[in-house]
């Protein structure tokens, strides 16, 4: 059952990773090229599968055959991403993923007290920036907006807070109270959405309806999952951009 849940989680993250790029292009008034969309999906898969394939004390133990399968498919996905998008800059997120999951000389970026959350959020934004390929103000604002992935990683730490405390692992929810964590995440989400709302009303980016839905949805799941709600976590948190895609498809069909 754990293996099945992990596979579903990986597939959700893979599709969400590609859809983040599509929405980034959409906020800038364009559509992601299909090769970049596919490459983004492969990068998301490779990073997540590699992290879950490397055995470490933070995660539950997995069978050696399953871990080898994850690592093998992560390698295949890595090669595929470079075939579709042969940009040397892609080495950076792959290097970060390696340092995060495996590390060098015993040092890993998967640190405590929010370090891992920052690394994951910044890597998502960096990957989008590489595909967009420019440092204009609209692009930087969109990339900074996707740093709100920090919020989602902390929500999963909230789920594991009791296990992490028992293991002596320091995460934001083990250091702060539930109220403090909720306030922190709501503040970060509000700041991220306020920045892009300001950009929209300044005529810099588009997609106000998706941004509004994102702000309301993010507020809902922050409050819910920081207060011990457990149902549909993968769908509502990791799958948020899949849900927004469903909304845009329905909107376009109706309008």
């Amino acid at each position: 059952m754990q293996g099945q849940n992990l596979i579903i989680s990986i597939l959700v993250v893979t599709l969400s990773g590609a859809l983040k790029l599509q929405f980034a292009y959409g906020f800038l008034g364009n559509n992601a090229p299909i090769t970049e969309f596919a490459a983004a999906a492969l990068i998301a898969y490779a990073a997540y599968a590699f992290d879950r394939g490397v055995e470490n004390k933070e995660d539950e133990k997995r069978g050696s055959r399953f871990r080898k399968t994850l690592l093998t498919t992560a390698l295949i996905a890595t090669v595929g991403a470079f075939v579709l998008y042969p940009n040397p800059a892609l080495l950076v997120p792959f290097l970060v993923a390696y340092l995060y999951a495996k590390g060098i000389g015993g040092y890993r970026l998967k640190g405590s007290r929010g370090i891992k959350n920052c690394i994951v959020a910044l890597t998502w934004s960096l990957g989008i920036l590489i595909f967009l390929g420019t440092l204009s103000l609209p692009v930087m604002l969109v990339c900074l907006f996707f740093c709100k992935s920090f919020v989602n990683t902390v929500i999963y730490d909230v789920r594991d807070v009791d296990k992490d405390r028992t293991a002596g692992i320091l995460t934001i929810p083990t250091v702060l109270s539930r109220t403090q964590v909720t306030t922190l995440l709501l503040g970060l989400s509000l700041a991220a959405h306020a920045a892009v709302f300001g950009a929209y009303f300044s005529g810099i980016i588009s997609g106000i309806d998706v941004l509004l839905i994102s702000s309301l949805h993010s507020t809902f799941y922050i409050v819910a999952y920081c207060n011990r709600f457990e149902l549909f976590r993968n769908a509502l948190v990791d799958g948020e951009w899949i849900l927004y895609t469903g909304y845009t498809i329905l909107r376009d069909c109706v309008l």
Side-chain angles (χ1 to χ4, degrees):
M1 181 60 71
Q2 285 184 343
Q4 180 180 350
N5 291 338
L6 178 59
I7 291 173
I8 293 173
S9 180
I10 291 176
L11 292 177
V12 169
V13 170
T14 297
L15 180 55
S16 292
L19 290 174
K20 283 181 182 180
L21 180 64
Q22 171 58 37
F23 275 101
Y25 268 100
F27 292 143
L28 298 170
N30 300 306
N31 288 306
I34 187 63
T35 53
E36 293 187 19
F37 181 89
L42 291 174
I43 290 173
Y45 176 86
Y48 199 10
F50 180 76
D51 179 51
R52 294 302 184 264
V54 174
E55 186 175 7
N56 58 70
K57 67 180 181 179
E58 290 93 342
D59 300 315
E60 68 272 15
K61 301 296 182 181
R62 302 183 180 95
S64 60
R65 179 176 297 180
F66 186 44
R67 288 191 290 106
K68 288 179 181 178
T69 300
L70 288 174
L71 294 175
T72 300
T73 55
L75 177 59
I76 294 172
T78 301
V79 174
F82 278 98
V83 170
L84 291 169
Y85 191 74
N87 187 331
L90 287 183
L91 289 172
V92 177
F94 281 115
L95 176 60
V96 172
Y98 181 85
L99 292 174
Y100 176 85
K102 186 68 175 176
I104 296 177
Y107 175 77
R108 293 191 299 150
L109 292 178
K110 199 171 186 177
S112 59
R113 299 186 184 184
I115 295 177
K116 70 170 185 178
N117 310 94
C118 291
I119 294 298
V120 171
L122 290 174
T123 302
W124 276 118
S125 295
L126 176 61
I128 292 173
L129 179 60
I130 290 171
F131 282 111
L132 295 177
T134 180
L135 292 175
S136 66
L137 178 59
V139 167
M140 295 304 296
L141 286 172
V142 168
C143 290
L144 287 174
F145 171 69
F146 282 100
C147 279
K148 86 178 195 73
S149 297
F150 176 95
V151 171
N152 296 359
T153 63
V154 175
I155 284 175
Y156 278 91
D157 287 338
V158 170
R159 178 195 63 184
D160 299 330
V161 62
D162 294 332
K163 181 176 68 175
D164 288 340
R165 281 186 178 136
T166 301
I169 299 172
L170 295 178
T171 63
I172 289 176
T174 65
V175 174
L176 302 179
S177 68
R178 186 184 308 176
T179 300
Q180 289 173 325
V181 173
T182 305
T183 302
L184 171 65
L185 299 188
L186 286 174
L188 291 174
S189 179
L190 175 62
H193 286 93
V196 288
F197 279 137
Y200 171 81
F201 289 113
S202 299
I204 296 177
I205 66 173
S206 58
I208 186 63
D209 53 343
V210 173
L211 294 172
L212 179 59
I213 291 172
S214 173
S215 66
L216 296 175
H217 176 231
S218 298
T219 299
F220 165 75
Y221 70 64
I222 288 171
V223 173
Y225 291 113
C226 283
N227 288 277
R228 302 292 186 170
F229 184 71
E230 294 295 336
L231 298 178
F232 311 118
R233 189 187 305 266
N234 280 352
L236 294 180
V237 181
D238 281 341
E240 63 174 322
W241 296 102
I242 299 176
L243 296 176
Y244 304 160
T245 299
Y247 157 75
T248 59
I249 293 173
L250 180 62
R251 176 199 64 191
D252 293 343
C253 289
V254 171
L255 298 180

